[in-house]
Amino acid sequence: MLRRLKRGLYRHRWLLMRRIVQISILLAFTVHIPGYGKIADGNLSSSLWFGELKLTDPFILLQSFLAGSSIALPALLGAILVGGFYAFFAGRLYCSWVCPINLLTDLAYWLRKKLKIKGNMSLSRSLRLWILALALALSLFGGTLAWEMVNPITRFQRELIWFSFSGAMLLGALFLFDLFVSRRAWCGHLCPVGAFYGLIGRYGRLKVTATPSESCDASGCSRCMTVCPEPHVLAPVVSKQAQAVTSVDCTRCGACLDECHEGALSMKLDLVGMVTRKVDE
Ligand code: SF4
Ligand code: SF4
């Protein structure tokens, strides 16, 4: 019994770690610790941690700048800190470890599989880049934080504290669209925030890396691709054309590592580009 539990936990280790981090971040904004207060004030767009550390979403800052707002130095430093973390280290990790909407869209995908829903409206992955460009253009010409008017990420956080009918409708529509209309529609095709973090994290050094494994060569099962929220990112690795996932779309969720029972994949820091270089040679 205990062994089965341990095996089950191990098989879902990346998922469990992600959920712990995501929920802890949400709790940091909501739970009031007696004698201390909240660990974080604000929201994921702009927050103050432990009363000292200012963090700013660089996408929000960019919209503010384009809208003509003056940028305060602490907000700028906070955005550099956040942007630098994803740019040099984590890639698009925000989507799977921080963003609360991922809880909702993962649930929709899980339900979709359980209910065996086959219908799938095909959407282009580049749509999110067009929406990103539109949000920035509207900020520039409209003088407002265009995406913030609808951003479901801040809506989600707000809903947890102050329920509103309009917010619940928006999040419900997003969930139902993912569930019934188009597979992984929001995070995989539409969200400009994910697209933004993918772009700035293009050279993030944390990568899913293939460990040479005979068992993987022999079976060629591609199970990792069946669980990946962005399966195209794994195709070069599975077909042995690349030794690491280099696509900007990889969210570092670790689902592929949980699924690969052959131990052929690992999450590695590729500080000097050794993995990519080996493939290029
Ligand atoms: S794609 Fe957008 S909504 Fe989805 S997890 Fe990433 S930032 Fe959040
Ligand atoms: S390659 Fe792995 S870590 Fe990257 S998105 Fe796919 S399942 Fe997640």
Side-chain angles (χ1 to χ4, degrees), residues 208 224 227-230 233-234 245 249-257 267:
V208 171
C224 51
V227 295
C228 178
E230 304 270 2
V233 308
L234 276 163
V245 172
D249 294 337
C250 173
T251 65
R252 277 72 170 176
C253 67
C256 51
L257 276 73
M267 192 76 80

Side-chain angles (χ1 to χ4, degrees), residues 92 94-95 99 101-102 153 186-187 191 193-194:
R92 198 187 152 199
Y94 175 86
C95 286
C99 181
I101 294 294
N102 172 260
I153 301 168
W186 184 257
C187 295
C191 176
V193 183

Side-chain angles (χ1 to χ4, degrees), residues 26 78 85 155 164 171 185-186 206:
L26 284 177
F85 172 73
R155 287 281 176 119
S164 80
L171 294 172
W186 184 257
L206 187 70

Side-chain angles (χ1 to χ4, degrees), residues 181-204:
V181 182
S182 183
R183 189 174 54 235
R184 299 272 190 202
W186 184 257
C187 295
H189 302 83
L190 301 172
C191 176
V193 183
F196 178 82
Y197 278 106
L199 289 178
I200 64 168
R202 170 172 290 270
Y203 299 107

Side-chain angles (χ1 to χ4, degrees), residues 160-171:
L160 283 182
I161 306 170
W162 303 288
F163 176 84
S164 80
F165 189 68
S166 62
M169 288 284 281
L170 178 82
L171 294 172

Side-chain angles (χ1 to χ4, degrees), residues 216-235:
C216 179
D217 278 347
S219 65
C221 67
S222 304
R223 284 176 63 153
C224 51
M225 287 180 74
T226 65
V227 295
C228 178
E230 304 270 2
H232 61 286
V233 308
L234 276 163

Side-chain angles (χ1 to χ4, degrees), residues 45-48 53-62 64 70-83:
S45 302
S46 172
S47 53
L48 188 68
L53 179 64
K54 173 93 181 150
L55 296 179
T56 313
D57 179 346
F59 183 45
I60 303 280
L61 191 97
L62 181 57
S64 291
S70 56
I71 307 290
L73 185 63
L76 178 64
L77 293 177
I80 292 173
L81 206 61
V82 172

